[in-house]
């Protein structure tokens, strides 16, 4: 980029500036920094509802307009998606380029995409997003002449003419179809060899690439920035019992533009076709619960929320005081393994949990000594439903476990 664009960030707070809203605003700053924009000021406004015409209140818009003129701001970034008419009205008051969170995210993707397929996908998403914004309103196209929100992948600059956008969308879709066909062929070949597929999914910056590297000695790019990974990277791991392929994927983020998910469906096929998802979670993040929720939202959109999932509760090294009770409370009924992808702590346990999924499972009813029951529960290798605690320190359990582990419990079996 020629020079650092100067920007301000704007958030409308309907929840009175809750912790969630503040974290989301902080994330907008990180996104801007990742896009290479300098955010000079942040404006927030508490309101009970969105203003139809300006999104924020007109008075606030005037205030931002004044600041923009004084400080020669190039870009105003809004925390949420604006309607085309809101952009148009805001542009009358604020003499700067107005973009929203989605455009910012897509801009970052455009800068980062390195594979041919990634580039096609991002450009397609951007054009789909832009099209309705150009319809029925005279956005001052000269303002769109450069900088974030207008940069396509590689050297391209985004098209601003509607007819040409439609043509370009058609070309991109055709090319992507060809690439998809090619990938389907590769997949068929892999399926024939019955290799177990694990997809690493999770919020951006949770540590997916670091975990891939730790597990498979891969050399995936990791960095403390958002969207370090855009192109999926697969690595094969030969274990004692199996061959497992792990694939690192693009990170998810709150408000990931729908068009982007749609465009990335091809790449995210690894998630759709995975036998198991390892959901990497950043324990050290103040709003981990929101991040999990957002990842699940995207998984739902991809139609794979029902897939088997193991949570890799990552960055445990940063929380030396966390007790196992506190940890358990965070994940309720989902199987999880606390790990540090960075130091390698417990990644062997995670691998054991993954391996357990590569085998057939079995449901058995057993009467277990309490000690064995506790060990099994803490190993998190399957699901254990305690039915009754007896007076002689044993527990009647219905267990769903990998066949290999179930076999070791045969002696405690109570019925077939
Ligand atoms: N302390 C600590 N830091 C970690 C751990 N795992 C990853 N990190 C750091 O977290 C940052 C993000 O790691 P990545 O592996 O790039 O995260 P990612 O999920 O692949 O991120 P995207 O590709 O951007 O979605 C890096 O600075 C890592 O060094 C961990 O277990 N402990
Ligand atoms: Mg990554």
């Amino acid at each position: 980029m020629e020079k650092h664009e100067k920007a301000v960030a704007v958030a409308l707070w309907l929840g009175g500036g809750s912790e969630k809203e503040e974290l989301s605003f902080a994330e907008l700053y990180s996104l801007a920094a990742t896009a290479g924009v300098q955010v000079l000021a942040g404006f927030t406004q508490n309101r009970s509802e969105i203003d139809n015409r300006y999104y924020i209140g007109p008075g606030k818009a005037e205030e931002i307009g004044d600041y923009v003129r004084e400080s020669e701001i190039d870009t105003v970034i809004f925390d949420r998606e604006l309607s085309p008419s809101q952009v148009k009205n805001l542009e009358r008051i604020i003499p700067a380029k107005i973009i929203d969170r989605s455009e910012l995210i897509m801009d970052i993707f455009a800068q980062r995409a390195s594979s041919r397929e990634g580039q096609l996908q991002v450009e397609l998403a951007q054009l789909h997003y832009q099209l309705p914004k150009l319809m029925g309103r005279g956005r001052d196209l000269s303002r769109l002449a450069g900088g974030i929100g207008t940069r396509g992948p590689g050297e391209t600059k985004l098209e601003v003419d509607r007819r040409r956008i439609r043509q370009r969308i058609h070309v991109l879709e055709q090319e992507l179809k060809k690439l998809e066909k090619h990938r389907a062929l590769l997949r068929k070949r892999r399926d024939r060899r019955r290799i177990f597929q694990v997809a690493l999914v999770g919020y951006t910056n949770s540590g997916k690439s670091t975990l891939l590297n730790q597990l498979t000695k891969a050399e995936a790019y990791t960095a403390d920035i958002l969207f370090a990974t855009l192109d999926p990277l697969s690595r094969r791991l030969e274990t004692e019992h199996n061959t497992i392929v792990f694939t690192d994927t693009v990170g998810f983020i709150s408000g990931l533009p729908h068009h982007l998910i749609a465009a990335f469906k091809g790449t995210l096929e690894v998630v759709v076709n995975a036998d198991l998802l390892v959901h990497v979670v950043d324990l050290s993040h103040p709003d981990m619960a929101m991040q999990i929720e957002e990842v699940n939202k995207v998984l739902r959109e991809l139609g794979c929320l029902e897939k088997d999932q193991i949570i890799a509760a990552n960055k445990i090294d940063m929380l030396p005081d966390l007790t196992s009770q506190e940890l358990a409370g965070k994940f309720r009924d989902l199987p999880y393994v606390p790990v540090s992808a960075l130091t390698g702590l417990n990644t062997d346990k995670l691998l054991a949990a993954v391996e357990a999924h590569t085998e057939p499972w079995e449901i058995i009813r057993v009467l277990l000594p309490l000690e064995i029951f506790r060990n099994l529960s803490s190993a998190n290798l399957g699901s254990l439903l305690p039915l009754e605690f007896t007076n002689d320190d044993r527990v009647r359990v219905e267990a769903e476990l990998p066949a290999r582990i179930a076999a070791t419990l045969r002696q405690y079996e109570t019925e077939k």
Side-chain angles (χ1 to χ4, degrees):
M1 209 170 42
E2 319 81 56
K3 67 175 177 79
H4 265 302
E5 271 179 63
K6 288 196 283 184
V8 296
V10 184
L12 179 66
W13 285 348
L14 300 174
S18 62
E19 196 189 348
K20 242 187 181 62
E21 288 176 322
E22 282 191 12
L23 285 169
S24 162
F25 198 44
E27 194 172 70
L28 192 66
Y29 271 72
S30 309
L31 285 169
T34 305
V37 190
Q38 201 184 353
V39 179
L40 293 189
F43 292 84
T44 61
Q45 184 177 38
N46 287 304
R47 272 177 78 97
S48 55
E49 56 186 25
I50 291 172
D51 185 275
N52 276 339
R53 285 172 312 157
Y54 297 100
Y55 178 65
I56 47 175
K60 197 62 167 183
E62 298 278 1
E63 186 189 330
I64 296 170
D66 290 342
Y67 183 87
V68 160
R69 263 183 292 272
E70 274 163 31
S71 309
E72 299 182 344
I73 298 296
D74 307 291
T75 310
V76 180
I77 307 167
F78 282 77
D79 63 335
R80 241 180 297 170
E81 193 169 323
L82 303 169
S83 74
S85 72
Q86 283 166 342
V87 178
K88 188 167 140 194
N89 294 333
L90 284 167
E91 277 175 345
R92 285 213 195 99
I93 302 183
I94 303 173
K97 182 173 58 186
I98 310 272
I99 68 166
D100 60 31
R101 192 185 161 87
S102 294
E103 284 170 295
L104 185 57
I105 292 175
M106 287 193 278
D107 188 88
I108 295 170
F109 273 58
Q111 302 317 300
R112 282 281 157 69
S114 58
S115 74
R116 174 85 188 122
E117 187 167 27
Q119 292 181 343
L120 294 172
Q121 287 167 328
V122 179
E123 194 184 344
L124 186 62
Q126 287 179 306
L127 294 179
H128 269 303
Y129 193 79
Q130 215 181 348
L131 199 54
K133 301 216 164 202
L134 294 175
M135 303 287 245
R137 65 186 209 87
R139 187 169 187 169
D140 180 355
L141 295 182
S142 62
R143 264 197 208 136
L144 265 173
I148 50 169
T150 66
R151 299 178 293 183
E155 297 294 298
T156 41
K157 200 190 260 180
L158 286 185
E159 199 57 71
V160 290
D161 176 67
R162 266 181 266 162
R163 195 172 55 86
R164 287 178 51 188
I165 286 182
R166 285 213 194 80
Q167 287 171 352
R168 181 79 186 139
I169 284 179
H170 182 72
V171 171
L172 291 173
E173 284 175 343
Q174 293 303 313
E175 269 199 66
L176 277 169
K177 258 193 206 130
K178 263 189 242 159
L179 287 171
E180 264 163 40
K181 253 193 198 155
H182 173 69
R183 217 167 1 159
L185 268 178
L186 289 181
R187 197 173 58 241
K188 247 193 199 153
R189 226 176 282 160
R190 238 189 345 238
D191 283 351
R192 233 180 282 139
R193 276 185 276 143
R194 289 185 171 281
I195 294 172
F196 195 80
Q197 305 277 337
V198 180
L200 302 175
V201 297
Y203 209 78
T204 180
N205 209 41
S206 60
K208 300 174 294 297
S209 302
T210 309
L211 185 61
L212 180 83
N213 292 346
Q214 185 66 246
L215 287 172
T216 70
K217 310 288 167 261
E219 284 169 12
Y221 175 63
T222 68
D224 194 9
I225 51 172
L226 306 180
F227 304 120
T229 306
L230 281 189
D231 295 315
L233 178 67
S234 296
R235 281 290 174 272
R236 163 194 300 257
L237 183 70
E238 306 286 345
T239 71
E240 199 183 323
H241 311 281
N242 296 293
T243 300
I244 304 174
V245 169
F246 287 91
T247 306
D248 179 22
T249 60
V250 58
F252 301 161
I253 194 167
S254 132
L256 198 60
H258 169 79
H259 288 305
L260 208 48
I261 300 177
F264 269 76
K265 273 225 162 100
T267 302
L268 291 170
E269 237 171 37
V270 289
V271 178
V272 177
N273 292 311
D275 299 297
L276 173 71
L277 304 179
V278 169
H279 181 164
V280 183
V281 165
D282 179 354
L283 278 175
S284 71
H285 194 277
D287 205 358
M288 186 192 77
M290 176 280 289
Q291 297 195 335
I292 293 179
E293 213 175 283
E294 291 298 330
V295 170
N296 285 339
K297 250 191 231 163
V298 180
L299 291 179
R300 190 173 304 123
E301 193 159 335
L302 293 171
C304 36
L305 195 56
E306 299 306 315
K307 260 185 206 302
D308 283 347
Q309 228 190 72
I310 299 176
I311 292 197
N314 194 31
K315 309 199 187 181
I316 189 84
D317 56 292
M318 291 178 80
L319 300 156
D321 299 327
L322 193 70
T323 66
S324 48
Q325 272 97 332
E326 283 171 326
L327 194 58
K330 290 179 191 292
F331 302 112
R332 271 160 284 158
D333 37 0
L334 280 173
Y336 67 91
V337 183
V339 296
S340 169
L342 198 63
T343 68
L345 181 77
N346 277 351
T347 48
D348 53 340
K349 287 203 178 125
L350 178 66
L351 193 57
V354 169
E355 280 214 271
H357 276 267
T358 63
E359 309 161 29
W361 283 46
E362 220 176 285
I363 296 177
I364 51 169
R365 282 177 167 242
V366 283
L367 187 60
L368 294 178
L370 222 44
E371 167 101 20
I372 294 189
F373 174 68
R374 288 214 189 94
N375 287 343
L376 268 178
S377 313
S378 66
N380 265 321
L381 293 179
S383 78
L384 300 172
L385 180 66
L387 300 173
E388 181 197 352
F389 289 85
T390 65
N391 291 332
D392 57 349
D393 281 342
R394 291 194 295 174
V395 50
R396 198 178 297 284
V397 179
E398 185 175 283
E400 190 172 2
L401 295 166
R404 191 160 45 94
I405 293 164
T408 65
L409 301 175
R410 282 277 175 260
Q411 50 177 312
Y412 304 109
E413 205 162 13
T414 53
E415 55 192 88
K416 279 282 159 200

